Amino acid sequence: MKTRKVGSWYEITIPKEWSTYTIDDLLRNVWKAPKKMIHQFRMENKVKINGLSVNWNQLLIPGQTLQLELFSSQDNEVVPAFYDIPVLYEDDHLVIFNKPAGMDTHPNEPHQSNTLLNAAAFHLQANGELLQPRHIHRLDRDTTGAVLFAKTAFAGSLLDRLLEERKIKRTYLAITDGIFSKNKGTINQPIGRDRHHAVRRRISPTGQTAITHYEVLRRQQKEQQTLVRCQLDTGRTHQIRVHLSSIGHPLAGDVLYNGSHSFPRQALHAVKMELVHPFTNEKIVCHAPFIDQPMIFKNIDPYSI
């Protein structure tokens, strides 16, 4: 699909396959944008064709230019702060960072400025993009790896939907205590808050549905540890940590869930992210190199996962 950014506008050359759609169809049924946002676009005249306002119920004509005002400058609610965070992928609509350990994904209190969201805000500002980044998902403070941010509210709404529909695939690597007997399996156990601990989560019949698929990649007999690949159907707080601990294999270094003191943090890394771009339909595959010093994940190629 032929697209480009021109100032605050996003331009798309209308493809043949959109000839049966109206603007309303495209926003409501193809992109499935929120009703409130569609109403805002209509009221503020943020959608044009060839520079002109048009009837939203007329069929689109292939070859013409559809224009959406997506990149208007915004007052950033987050304090921009410089941190040297590796960028795994970036375009006009989204950016994927490789989060280090010891950093929250977003502020948990007013004026907090040492999070990945603050770093994302600085990154956009330094590039001359006066936009407000939005995290699409989170990683725990001491979990490393790929985290996805939207640059605009519209991209954020489309990426939120993809995440909800399980169309953003995230793969994790974990080192657990103990040697797994099974090569692969699925843990389908609901997760809720632990009433006796402010931070911990636990398996709970009244908790939220949580599904984790795991596969053994390497049994490390000498260390009595197992390297495991995990993929999630859901994204509950501490999901992998709770689930693996529940089957007797807590993450090495995860003392909150009875893991050993093998590492200075839980051995969990979001190594791979896959999604189809919400506008261009291109497949994006990102691998996140290991950034711990000293290294936790040794003798494994993150690009092979």
Side-chain angles (χ1 to χ4, degrees):
M1 189 178 297
K2 186 178 179 182
T3 67
R4 66 172 183 166
K5 178 182 177 183
V6 181
S8 63
W9 292 84
Y10 182 53
E11 297 189 346
I12 303 171
T13 301
I14 298 171
K16 291 181 181 179
E17 55 266 31
W18 286 4
S19 62
T20 58
Y21 300 144
T22 64
I23 292 174
D24 193 70
D25 289 333
L26 188 64
L27 290 169
R28 195 178 306 277
N29 302 320
V30 177
W31 285 328
K32 299 179 183 176
K35 291 180 181 179
K36 184 177 179 180
M37 191 171 289
I38 293 174
H39 179 73
Q40 179 188 12
F41 277 21
R42 189 188 288 269
M43 292 299 99
E44 297 180 9
N45 200 26
K46 288 180 174 290
V47 182
K48 298 180 179 181
I49 291 181
N50 291 348
L52 302 174
S53 301
V54 293
N55 185 335
W56 276 39
N57 295 311
Q58 288 183 347
L59 291 176
L60 297 172
I61 299 175
Q64 291 190 340
T65 301
L66 175 67
Q67 299 158 303
L68 300 99
E69 191 171 20
L70 305 181
F71 306 107
S72 300
S73 297
Q74 304 167 28
D75 292 330
N76 207 319
E77 299 172 4
V78 178
V79 179
F82 173 72
Y83 291 92
D84 188 14
I85 310 295
V87 173
L88 302 175
Y89 174 86
E90 183 173 16
D91 61 29
D92 292 332
H93 307 279
L94 56 94
V95 56
I96 302 174
F97 293 99
N98 193 4
K99 188 183 89 64
M103 174 176 271
D104 290 324
T105 299
H106 59 86
N108 294 307
E109 55 188 43
H111 309 302
Q112 186 178 351
S113 62
N114 59 346
T115 75
L116 189 59
L117 185 59
N118 301 106
F122 185 95
H123 176 80
L124 266 60
Q125 186 181 81
N127 288 343
E129 297 176 289
L130 302 180
L131 304 172
Q132 185 171 305
R134 296 157 172 79
H135 64 281
I136 303 303
H137 63 104
R138 294 177 294 176
L139 291 180
D140 295 340
R141 177 181 176 84
D142 285 329
T143 299
T144 54
V147 182
L148 172 63
F149 285 81
K151 292 186 176 184
T152 67
F154 191 53
S157 70
L158 302 192
L159 291 169
D160 282 342
R161 177 177 57 79
L162 291 179
L163 187 69
E164 185 179 327
E165 295 175 352
R166 302 178 184 175
K167 292 180 180 177
I168 298 177
K169 184 178 177 182
R170 293 171 287 162
T171 303
Y172 296 79
L173 286 179
I175 299 175
T176 73
D177 291 325
I179 303 299
F180 274 66
S181 57
K182 295 171 62 177
N183 287 331
K184 60 174 61 177
T186 297
I187 305 169
N188 187 345
Q189 293 284 355
I191 293 176
R193 291 183 176 274
D194 188 329
R195 290 176 298 170
H196 306 292
H197 196 288
V199 177
R200 280 176 60 107
R201 300 297 193 272
R202 65 183 181 90
I203 301 297
S204 169
T206 59
Q208 295 177 297
T209 299
I211 301 171
T212 302
H213 307 283
Y214 68 85
E215 180 179 1
V216 170
L217 297 183
R218 185 170 68 213
R219 292 177 174 87
Q220 302 173 172
Q221 297 290 346
K222 182 180 177 182
E223 295 85 0
Q224 282 295 291
Q225 294 173 341
T226 305
L227 177 67
V228 181
R229 174 170 55 206
C230 297
Q231 291 182 333
L232 309 182
D233 283 355
T234 51
R236 308 306 177 201
T237 299
H238 297 183
Q239 179 172 322
I240 292 174
R241 301 167 67 186
V242 173
H243 271 173
L244 293 184
S245 179
S246 75
I247 62 171
H249 293 287
L251 298 183
D254 192 0
V255 294
L256 183 64
Y257 291 102
N258 303 313
S260 65
H261 290 78
S262 302
F263 305 113
R265 67 172 183 90
Q266 68 261 14
L268 185 62
H269 180 71
V271 69
K272 185 179 180 182
M273 181 179 294
E274 302 168 78
L275 69 148
V276 174
H277 198 286
F279 293 109
T280 66
N281 291 324
E282 295 172 293
K283 185 171 184 181
I284 299 169
V285 180
C286 277
H287 294 82
F290 307 120
I291 53 179
D292 282 293
Q293 292 295 335
M295 290 184 66
I296 289 178
F297 294 90
K298 299 177 182 178
N299 302 318
I300 183 164
D301 179 8
Y303 297 94
S304 68
I305 301 302

